[in-house]
Amino acid sequence: MPSVMIRKDNEGKMTLYVAKKDQEDEISTIEFESADKWGGLIEMTDGTKYFIEPLDAMPKLPITLRARRG
Amino acid sequence: MSTMSRDETEALIQEVLEVYPAKAKKDREKHLAVNDHEVEQSKKCITSNKKSLPGVMTVRGCAYAGSKGVVWGPIKDMIHISHGPVGCGQYSRNGRRNYYIGTTGINAFVTMNFTSDFQEKDIVFGGDKKLSKLLEEVETLFPLNKGVSIQSECPIGLIGDDIEAVAKKATAATGKTVVPVRCEGFRGVSQSLGHHIANDAVRDWALDKRDDDDSFEKTAYDVAIIGDYNIGGDAWSSRILLEEIGLRVVSQWSGDGTIAEMELTPKVKLNLVHCYRSMNYISRHMEEKYGIPWMEYNFFGPTKTDESLRKIAAFFDESIQQKAEEVIAKYKLQYDTIIEKFRPRLEGKRVMLYIGGLRPRHVIGAYEDLGMEVVGTGYEFAHNDDYDRTIKEMGNATLLYDDVTGYEFEEFVKKVKPDLIGSGIKEKYIFQKMGVPFRQMHSWDYSGPYHGYDGFAIFARDMDMTLNNPCWKKLQAPWQVEETTEEAVAASA
């Protein structure tokens, strides 16, 4: 269960940063991305998947969350 | 030798790897790569931030070096105690040339060495009592200190001392910030983890001290310089540029910085990150907690400085953008003369770099401004995100080497034959004896500053001074010099 930070970079793209691995990659898809449900399965551009317990509301980025390997 | 093709570079790597035993070869192979602009993610071509191979020469440091030497050490009004045996503090003392303003021993303490000087009995019975006593003594002897950081050396973690408890007790007694940093040298694979631990210590023990205090007058143009260690005055030559375009620099992290500046950083509008590797952690934290955006910039060489000033100005309103253009135009005259003078002397020269932090990619622009070409670069302790950024900066088919070993570096130099090498003191004399001009790029070879437009003038002069030094022609003993040259000398006399 790594701690991951999701943020928008300077170009407005959403990135996911794994502190433990010092790895920052772009997010290609998020399973739920609406005002009342946000999170779920996240896929990175390189194909890695993470799962984040869906939140009830759209969070204010950046945010640190616990993620599981998806 | 002209530029090498991809195949030649790959063949060179294979040739150098040849001498290793199979297992070592497999490991080292992953750390050496040929730059390829088509690769988007560096992890596909190069492995980094892995434990060095036992038995090879590495120039990496330890977590204590990363925390005390890099991040905490330059904060001038705090006392940084090297907690443990005496050597770690003494041998790293005053080595990095982090300049500062202040009276050493009165209100500034950067170049001094404070240590708890562990003896056998401290290892056996624990060193907490000694640390408490030391904190009291420091308070008596240096009453103008604004805080203390306790930088653990290896034994502290091994014997399990509770430095956090001592720190809390000392803070309660004096009211000053006392920061315990768990940066024991054995943690992690290089100094990089030390940076991270130090950043976390700042976050947990110092950064939020003034969160409830709004007495600080803010302006819309407040910025902080993050990750500039003021080596030879770097932060100063950066700071004047930012001030000239109309920004207010609230704090410098950590070269010539103070604990008060650190506490005020959460109140700025933008964090400007120079050394991404050592300070990105705290920048990310501030972005999340205080909503302060951060931006990487590069003040090496006029091209990159222009670019960075415009990028920084674009974040603010038009008055700043206009001033940025004025500043760029003003300094253009200055740096054009520099380029005009030095470029003909340096044009086409080839450089190999092997440094740490941000420089292996940041200084490339400065060399290119002088018409030089960087043909190989590498980091001591980078992570994948550093190489992601490096791939774009380096030319295609150039060499990339991560945590290069002494043997590999020497072989690369013998084959690539660069005109100049930029690396550390441990490499300096080896390459000078091999007859290759060398600059020590960790602390600018006792020169500097190199940041900003003013720094570029010094940078260009230094490179010329080293490369075109007449001594490189005198490496051969006089009686071994060919007859013809001797006659020529006699004829000209």
Side-chain angles (χ1 to χ4, degrees):
Chain A
M1 286 254 290
S3 212
V4 301
M5 186 188 265
I6 298 171
R7 68 184 285 260
K8 282 218 161 85
D9 69 6
N10 296 337
E11 289 156 24
K13 288 182 205 143
M14 215 182 278
T15 60
L16 183 137
Y17 171 71
V18 189
K20 223 166 179 176
K21 289 174 152 181
D22 269 297
Q23 206 167 29
E24 189 171 31
D25 280 317
E26 232 175 274
I27 293 173
S28 60
T29 54
I30 296 185
E31 195 179 357
F32 307 110
E33 212 180 353
S34 55
D36 57 342
K37 199 176 188 192
W38 190 92
L41 201 65
I42 291 177
E43 197 174 337
M44 318 290 293
T45 42
D46 68 343
T48 330
K49 286 176 190 160
Y50 289 96
F51 180 80
I52 286 173
E53 209 55 54
L55 305 172
D56 295 338
M58 186 92 86
K60 194 175 152 283
L61 298 178
I63 185 168
T64 304
L65 296 162
R66 303 292 276 178
R68 277 207 312 268
R69 285 234 161 243
Chain B
M1 197 161 75
S2 63
T3 319
M4 291 171 39
S5 71
R6 172 166 305 279
D7 292 339
E8 282 172 333
T9 320
E10 259 159 25
L12 168 63
I13 293 177
Q14 286 310 319
E15 194 189 326
V16 168
L17 285 168
E18 206 71 338
V19 297
Y20 287 124
K23 207 175 152 196
K25 187 179 169 188
K26 202 175 142 210
D27 179 281
R28 287 305 307 162
E29 207 167 14
K30 297 181 208 150
H31 294 264
L32 307 171
V34 186
N35 194 29
D36 186 348
H37 284 173
E38 275 156 34
V39 177
E40 296 244 319
Q41 283 172 317
S42 62
K43 65 181 168 197
K44 287 182 185 139
C45 71
I46 197 160
T47 306
S48 54
N49 200 30
K50 289 275 180 289
K51 191 166 140 339
S52 302
L53 199 65
V56 301
M57 282 297 261
T58 171
V59 297
R60 279 175 163 177
C62 66
Y64 164 85
S67 175
K68 193 261 181 184
V70 177
V71 177
W72 279 103
I75 299 170
K76 61 181 174 180
D77 61 355
M78 285 178 87
I79 285 172
H80 309 288
I81 296 170
S82 302
H83 187 39
V86 69
C88 303
Q90 179 55 20
Y91 290 110
S92 65
R93 180 186 147 258
N94 197 9
R96 210 156 177 256
R97 300 174 58 249
N98 313 100
Y99 283 7
Y100 58 96
I101 298 165
T103 312
T104 307
I106 306 296
N107 60 3
F109 311 95
V110 179
T111 50
M112 295 174 77
N113 174 26
F114 296 89
T115 176
S116 46
D117 185 21
F118 257 40
Q119 302 297 320
E120 225 172 305
K121 72 168 178 18
D122 301 312
I123 304 283
V124 176
F125 298 107
D128 284 345
K129 274 203 192 98
K130 194 170 195 178
L131 182 62
S132 296
K133 191 162 173 247
L134 194 153
L135 288 170
E136 281 165 31
E137 277 179 19
V138 144
E139 205 44 46
T140 319
L141 288 166
F142 305 98
L144 292 181
N145 79 72
K146 295 290 192 310
V148 180
S149 79
I150 303 159
Q151 309 284 335
S152 318
E153 292 166 14
C154 294
I156 310 307
L158 296 171
I159 61 176
D161 271 8
D162 190 0
I163 56 170
E164 283 84 1
V166 180
K168 278 182 188 148
K169 227 169 77 191
T171 309
T174 61
K176 288 178 184 171
T177 309
V178 181
V179 186
V181 191
R182 285 279 178 193
C183 56
E184 288 88 354
F186 56 76
R187 292 181 197 270
V189 297
S190 64
Q191 54 266 63
S192 190
L193 190 71
H195 305 144
H196 199 152
I197 292 168
N199 276 230
D200 288 354
V202 172
R203 179 194 68 195
D204 296 339
W205 297 84
L207 195 67
D208 54 0
K209 286 276 155 64
R210 288 187 66 170
D211 279 6
D212 311 320
D213 173 9
D214 286 328
S215 60
F216 181 70
E217 271 182 51
K218 297 182 216 172
T219 73
Y221 305 117
D222 289 352
V223 295
I225 297 178
I226 308 268
D228 193 324
Y229 299 105
N230 205 25
I231 292 161
D234 276 342
W236 296 329
S237 64
S238 308
R239 185 186 176 117
I240 54 166
L241 291 179
L242 297 172
E243 282 172 349
E244 248 177 283
I245 67 168
L247 300 175
R248 184 169 77 148
V249 180
V250 171
S251 62
Q252 282 176 221
W253 288 53
S254 53
D256 196 32
T258 60
I259 179 80
E261 287 176 28
M262 271 192 159
E263 289 165 359
L264 287 174
T265 310
K267 310 200 184 291
V268 301
K269 292 283 176 298
L270 176 67
N271 278 329
L272 297 171
V273 182
H274 206 249
C275 182
Y276 169 83
R277 178 71 277 130
S278 60
M279 287 275 192
N280 79 80
Y281 317 100
I282 198 75
S283 311
R284 286 176 198 277
H285 168 73
M286 280 194 266
E287 185 182 33
E288 187 178 10
K289 189 171 176 192
Y290 303 100
I292 305 168
W294 53 277
M295 183 189 279
E296 287 172 64
Y297 69 108
N298 179 357
F299 269 1
F300 286 104
T303 312
K304 290 288 175 190
T305 314
D306 288 357
E307 226 172 74
S308 297
L309 279 175
R310 289 201 178 103
K311 203 170 102 186
I312 294 165
F315 185 85
F316 294 95
D317 57 28
E318 272 177 20
S319 71
I320 302 285
Q321 286 162 25
Q322 197 197 330
K323 266 189 226 159
E325 291 303 326
E326 281 166 26
V327 169
I328 292 168
K330 177 186 152 194
Y331 283 101
K332 194 172 184 330
L333 293 171
Q334 183 187 323
Y335 70 68
D336 276 349
T337 3
I338 304 286
I339 292 178
E340 204 182 307
K341 181 175 172 193
F342 290 106
R343 196 169 168 135
R345 298 170 64 85
L346 297 168
E347 186 91 56
K349 300 285 189 202
R350 297 151 77 246
V351 189
M352 270 175 93
L353 299 169
Y354 176 59
I355 351 176
L358 75 163
R359 284 152 287 158
R361 64 171 178 276
H362 267 42
V363 297
I364 295 172
Y367 281 114
E368 281 171 357
D369 284 333
L370 291 169
M372 298 162 83
E373 189 198 356
V374 179
V375 292
T377 197
Y379 296 83
E380 286 171 24
F381 53 84
H383 298 211
N384 275 330
D385 41 3
D386 292 296
Y387 285 104
D388 285 342
R389 290 161 169 79
T390 314
I391 290 174
K392 295 174 215 145
E393 302 276 342
M394 286 291 283
N396 236 336
T398 48
L399 260 176
L400 291 176
Y401 28 84
D402 178 68
D403 184 26
V404 77
T405 67
Y407 159 75
E408 287 163 16
F409 199 18
E410 270 178 51
E411 289 303 306
F412 284 148
V413 168
K414 279 182 202 159
K415 298 283 155 48
V416 178
K417 295 195 180 65
D419 300 294
L420 177 74
I421 301 171
S423 191
I425 194 70
K426 297 190 273 308
E427 294 81 37
K428 181 172 180 175
Y429 300 103
I430 296 164
F431 290 121
Q432 286 192 340
K433 284 173 186 172
M434 281 164 68
V436 189
F438 188 98
R439 287 298 296 182
Q440 192 263 95
M441 293 295 278
H442 287 284
S443 64
W444 310 144
D445 228 335
Y446 322 103
S447 175
Y450 283 177
H451 289 181
Y453 298 113
D454 293 326
F456 178 67
I458 301 164
F459 176 82
R461 183 205 64 190
D462 284 355
M463 294 308 140
D464 175 48
M465 194 166 79
T466 308
L467 251 167
N468 295 318
N469 197 309
C471 75
W472 304 117
K473 298 193 189 86
K474 308 261 183 223
L475 286 171
Q476 224 170 0
W479 57 91
Q480 285 172 334
V481 179
E482 299 264 326
E483 286 285 313
T484 44
T485 41
E486 216 169 297
E487 277 164 26
V489 171
S492 68

